[in-house]
Amino acid sequence: MSDSTKRFSDRVESYIKYRPSYPSDTLDSLEKITCNGKPITIADIGSGTGISTQLLLERGHTVFGVEPNTPMREAAEQQLSRYPNFRSVNGRSDATQLPDSSVDLIVAAQSFHWFELEPTKMEFVRILKPGGQLALIWNERLTDSSPFLREYEALLQTRATDYQTVNHSNITDEDIESFFQPNPIEIVRFPNQQLFDYEGLSGRCQSSSYVPAEGTAGHDSFFEGLREIFDRNAENGSVSFEYQTTLYIGHLEHFSYE
């Protein structure tokens, strides 16, 4: 998408407040597979407002948050200024501005589906140290596990702006396997959840780039539909977003350990 680096510029506040974090089990698995809990240098590509970056910093790693969107990057700089091992970088997945062989691990959390894959792979191989790895992480919202989630998915399909085009489900396991070839990948999955009252649900929706922004065509219709399905499905004043958090880890080159 030609405008992909600007899509979230007017959604930063909602992104910070309402986007889900990642289960601690996901970070435990990431460390076990890549570094056995030892501090390493990580490039978090498409780091946005710093949700995944903060989790990595809290575990003692040095993290380069590489983000092309200025409002999101500045929000991360403000949020993460207390971490001495945080480095903010104005860069893209295919032009990270990082030196050759400078990082032990690359993380892309909720961002890989925005990347131009061929130049991105070349750039990732360039900045990884020998033996370095890539981890892709997604909170994948379940669409059929409850009446509310089925109705919410139908609302997105019919009233969201370009949901079918930019939904990260357009990246398949086969696409990911192809990116890592000729190396195998390890896949681990964990449950995740968010509970929302209507204000929280509305904020969560406004953090998504495919939901019509206030003042644009379709905004009122979308949120009228959202209110209806919330009122129909809320229990004790709340609804649940259920996720499957998926972690893909592997090498990008064929390394010999002999």
Side-chain angles (χ1 to χ4, degrees):
M1 299 290 294
S2 61
D3 64 343
S4 63
T5 64
K6 301 178 181 178
R7 290 181 68 98
F8 294 95
S9 296
D10 59 350
R11 302 173 189 263
V12 172
E13 183 178 351
S14 295
Y15 207 101
I16 292 171
K17 291 177 66 175
Y18 298 112
R19 279 292 174 121
S21 188
Y22 302 94
S24 59
D25 288 346
T26 306
L27 278 296
D28 291 343
S29 293
L30 175 67
E31 288 190 320
K32 182 178 180 181
I33 296 169
T34 60
C35 64
N36 289 320
K38 298 177 181 178
I40 58 174
T41 301
I42 301 172
D44 188 358
I45 310 295
S47 50
T49 60
I51 295 173
S52 52
T53 307
Q54 182 170 344
L55 296 176
L56 296 165
L57 290 167
E58 287 172 349
R59 291 171 177 246
H61 304 294
T62 296
V63 185
F64 292 92
V66 179
E67 173 55 52
N69 182 288
T70 299
M72 297 188 88
R73 188 177 64 255
E74 290 178 346
E77 290 168 356
Q78 182 176 0
Q79 296 275 327
L80 304 176
S81 60
R82 66 187 184 276
Y83 294 97
N85 290 339
F86 172 58
R87 310 285 186 271
S88 181
V89 180
N90 179 6
R92 303 168 53 100
S93 66
D94 55 359
T96 64
Q97 313 305 321
L98 299 180
D100 294 354
S101 303
S102 57
V103 299
D104 302 289
L105 173 68
I106 295 171
V107 171
Q110 220 72 25
S111 58
F112 184 75
H113 59 293
W114 296 112
F115 299 166
E116 293 288 342
L117 297 187
E118 185 173 345
T120 291
K121 183 171 183 177
M122 293 176 61
E123 177 72 350
F124 283 5
V125 169
R126 183 186 70 78
I127 67 174
L128 276 173
K129 296 177 183 179
Q133 292 174 277
L134 166 65
L136 309 179
I137 309 173
W138 272 289
N139 279 315
E140 301 175 83
R141 176 177 44 81
L142 303 184
T143 60
D144 195 32
S145 59
S146 71
F148 164 70
L149 288 174
R150 285 191 288 273
E151 290 190 51
Y152 181 70
E153 178 68 12
L155 181 70
L156 292 178
Q157 295 285 352
T158 55
R159 301 193 196 183
T161 305
D162 53 0
Y163 174 64
Q164 296 183 22
T165 303
V166 302
N167 178 10
H168 72 254
S169 295
N170 289 328
I171 293 288
T172 66
D173 281 356
E174 289 72 24
D175 295 326
I176 293 171
E177 290 170 1
S178 176
F179 192 83
F180 281 93
Q181 283 181 356
N183 300 298
I185 56 176
E186 186 164 350
I187 304 175
V188 229
R189 294 184 168 94
F190 303 96
N192 199 7
Q193 183 184 51
Q194 288 179 294
L195 288 176
F196 293 119
D197 59 13
Y198 182 73
E199 180 183 355
L201 176 63
S202 176
R204 174 64 178 84
C205 290
Q206 291 176 72
S207 77
S208 297
S209 67
Y210 45 73
V211 170
E214 187 173 0
T216 65
H219 175 270
D220 292 347
S221 174
F222 180 91
F223 283 93
E224 287 170 5
L226 185 71
R227 181 83 233 194
E228 290 172 3
I229 66 172
F230 177 85
D231 290 343
R232 199 157 44 239
N233 291 281
E235 296 182 7
N236 299 317
S238 66
V239 294
S240 173
F241 265 28
E242 298 168 14
Y243 303 93
Q244 178 176 261
T245 302
T246 305
L247 170 65
Y248 304 82
I249 300 181
H251 296 281
L252 289 187
E253 290 183 302
H254 182 71
F255 295 106
S256 172
Y257 297 98
E258 296 179 0

